[in-house]
Amino acid sequence: MAASDHGVSIERRDRIAIIRLDGPTPGNLLSQAAMTALLEAARGLSTDPYLAAVVLTGRADLFTLGFNLADGDRMGALPLAERREALSVGPRLCAAFEALEPLTIMAVEGWCVGGGVAIAGGFDLRVAGAGARFYVPEIERGMNMSWGSLPRLVNLMGPARTKRLVMLAEKLDAAKAAEWGLVDELAPAGGALDRALEFAARAATMPPVQLRMCKAGINAYANALAPVAAALDRDQYLLAQASADYAEGVASFREKREPQYRGE
């Protein structure tokens, strides 16, 4: 599939699929169109019984600077039911990648922000180039972290480090992300995709059905309570979006000033 204006393309190499996100914005933002294209890509690959590995990567200089706030502005004008449906794309995208039966690997260079971190949590492995950086700024914008990401991040890093990443918005370089468990493998700068493809090639030497059975058993145990923990995070986002603190968070970001939150 060739990339269109949403910037998502798929390359097949025998039993390996490589999905690239390279959209039209400077920050490679997660627009509604890009997220819908990624969701469709994951769903399209789910029906191939012989696929061994799926690799998702961004640009050579960054993965993504996160969700496109302009799309958030447009959603804010929708009726509640339509806004709630529009907000379903992110969690469905993460769930679709998590549900893929082949091994899934995310290759990150440069910044991976917000929704990019949420997507990463649903992958089996995360490979980062030496210059990669991870950041969850949602709380600084008056938002909660949603898309079902909190239980996934707790599975990877534990509760205390997840609180530092999500509640204190600490920025992690690649080495710190690996130390904390968010990243599974470090590669030289510019080498994340090559290393991810090495994992994918190894998976492609395995019997396809047994590979999938092993993943299913591991995920069933690791994620048994995840749907309970994340059940309301979309509606929590809707609640946050209606607050004055959300408006202040977005406005202060755009105006490049410190926010003044009042619990309103």
Side-chain angles (χ1 to χ4, degrees), residues 49-208:
Y50 299 104
L51 193 63
V54 176
V55 177
L56 174 64
T57 192
R59 294 178 185 164
D61 60 337
L62 88 163
F63 186 79
T64 181
L65 293 184
F67 179 64
N68 190 339
L69 290 177
D71 283 354
D73 293 341
R74 287 187 284 271
M75 285 183 207
L78 295 174
L80 176 61
E82 294 179 30
R83 195 176 349 137
R84 192 170 184 269
E85 176 60 26
L87 287 172
S88 298
V89 176
R92 287 172 183 164
L93 159 62
C94 294
F97 275 107
E98 185 175 51
L100 283 172
E101 292 190 326
L103 183 72
T104 57
I105 311 157
M106 188 159 147
V108 178
E109 302 284 354
W111 283 103
C112 179
V113 175
V117 177
I119 295 170
F123 274 65
D124 297 321
L125 299 175
R126 287 145 296 276
V127 180
R133 299 288 186 273
F134 298 84
Y135 174 38
V136 176
E138 270 70 0
I139 196 167
E140 295 181 322
R141 312 284 183 263
M143 308 172 193
N144 68 309
M145 185 60 173
S146 55
W147 296 9
S149 59
L150 292 181
R152 297 181 184 118
L153 294 174
V154 171
N155 275 349
L156 295 172
M157 300 186 295
R161 286 171 171 169
T162 301
K163 289 170 184 174
R164 289 175 63 178
L165 180 69
V166 173
M167 296 172 65
L168 302 182
E170 292 192 24
K171 299 179 178 73
L172 306 182
D173 62 22
K176 179 68 77 173
E179 177 188 334
W180 282 21
L182 180 59
V183 164
D184 302 289
E185 183 81 1
L186 293 176
L193 178 58
D194 287 343
R195 185 68 182 108
L197 289 173
E198 290 177 12
F199 283 120
R202 177 64 175 161
T205 68
M206 303 300 174

